[in-house]
């Protein structure tokens, strides 16, 4: 993996539906949660679905380490 100079943490910006109750959002949540369990990975979440978000989905994502802006990699996982 490539990390920003001077940083040992990889930051991923994830763009796509994250909170909706459909398969694409479910896959995004599961992938993010699985990656978040690895050390030294944090996220910039950029949901494309509109609020209000379902409470259970928000609860699932609450444990994901997030940052505000800078990122090393951007993943766009959404409908074309």
């Amino acid at each position: 993996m490539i990390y920003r100079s001077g940083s040992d943490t990889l930051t991923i910006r994830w763009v796509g539906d994250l909170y909706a109750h459909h398969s694409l959002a479910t896959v995004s949540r599961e992938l993010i949660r699985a990656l978040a369990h690895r050390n030294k990975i944090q996220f910039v979440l950029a949901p494309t679905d509109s609020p209000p978000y379902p409470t259970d989905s928000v609860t699932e994502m609450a444990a994901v380490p997030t940052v505000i802006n800078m990122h090393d990699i951007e993943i766009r996982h959404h409908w074309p």
Side-chain angles (χ1 to χ4, degrees), residues 1-26:
M1 292 185 175
I2 299 172
Y3 300 97
R4 269 192 315 272
S5 177
S7 175
D8 61 349
T9 301
L10 176 68
T11 301
I12 300 171
R13 182 173 190 260
W14 197 283
V15 179
D17 287 0
L18 297 176
Y19 300 103
H21 285 163
H22 56 66
S23 59
L24 189 64
T26 300

Side-chain angles (χ1 to χ4, degrees), residues 50-66:
S50 300
Y53 302 128
T55 305
D56 58 332
S57 299
V58 171
T59 301
E60 279 183 43
M61 299 300 289
V64 174
T66 58

Side-chain angles (χ1 to χ4, degrees), residues 3-79:
Y3 300 97
R4 269 192 315 272
S5 177
S7 175
D8 61 349
T9 301
L10 176 68
T11 301
I12 300 171
R13 182 173 190 260
W14 197 283
V15 179
D17 287 0
L18 297 176
Y19 300 103
H21 285 163
H22 56 66
S23 59
L24 189 64
T26 300
V27 169
S28 286
R29 284 194 305 274
E30 292 299 319
L31 287 170
I32 290 168
R33 288 174 48 205
L35 288 169
H37 279 72
R38 301 188 63 170
N39 290 334
K40 301 181 180 182
I41 296 179
Q42 59 189 7
F43 292 87
V44 175
L45 300 178
T48 55
D49 41 357
S50 300
Y53 302 128
T55 305
D56 58 332
S57 299
V58 171
T59 301
E60 279 183 43
M61 299 300 289
V64 174
T66 58
V67 294
I68 302 299
N69 197 357
M70 295 183 61
H71 57 278
D72 301 303
I73 296 173
E74 181 169 292
I75 296 174
R76 294 176 179 241
H77 190 238
H78 57 86
W79 304 109

